Amino acid sequence: MSAALKYTLGRIGLFVAVLAGLWLIDMNVFLKLMLALAFSAALSFFLLRGWRDEMAEEIGTAAERRRTEKERLRTALAGEDDPNPNPNPNPTRPAEGPDTPR
């Protein structure tokens, strides 16, 4: 199971548990929902710290992998990954070009 899914399900579970506890108190339903949201967010900050860190590491690894792949593709498209980076195939003779005297 991915860390993001585990953390999300943990947050939802905390919200439902806090809402169930508040359901026994006689107050407006909207107020119950707002309090459950606030309390579950505060509890998840402390109780789900490990899962949150695991998710952040997973996201960071994926971002680094995408960045590396993007850079590899850019260099491939630019032609910089040529196996022979020397434009002169014969190193004993100077390269000929429009500015080279003959």
Side-chain angles (χ1 to χ4, degrees), residues 38-54:
F39 288 145
S40 67
L43 285 173
S44 71
F45 183 74
F46 297 106
L47 298 177
L48 302 178
R49 178 175 301 183
W51 288 353
R52 185 176 57 248
D53 293 342
E54 184 181 334

Side-chain angles (χ1 to χ4, degrees), residues 13-88:
L14 273 175
F15 175 75
V16 169
V18 171
L19 184 62
L22 289 175
W23 206 259
L24 303 172
I25 300 172
D26 185 32
M27 68 174 79
N28 188 355
V29 174
F30 183 72
L31 183 59
K32 288 180 190 179
L33 290 172
M34 291 292 106
L35 287 173
L37 184 67
F39 288 145
S40 67
L43 285 173
S44 71
F45 183 74
F46 297 106
L47 298 177
L48 302 178
R49 178 175 301 183
W51 288 353
R52 185 176 57 248
D53 293 342
E54 184 181 334
M55 180 183 69
E57 184 178 326
E58 187 177 280
I59 290 171
T61 303
E64 181 62 33
R65 188 176 56 244
R66 282 192 306 269
R67 191 177 307 115
T68 303
E69 181 65 16
K70 185 177 180 180
E71 186 61 34
R72 187 191 67 77
L73 288 172
R74 279 188 177 161
T75 57
L77 287 173
E80 295 173 6
D81 64 340
D82 191 22
N84 185 9
N86 186 4
N88 185 6

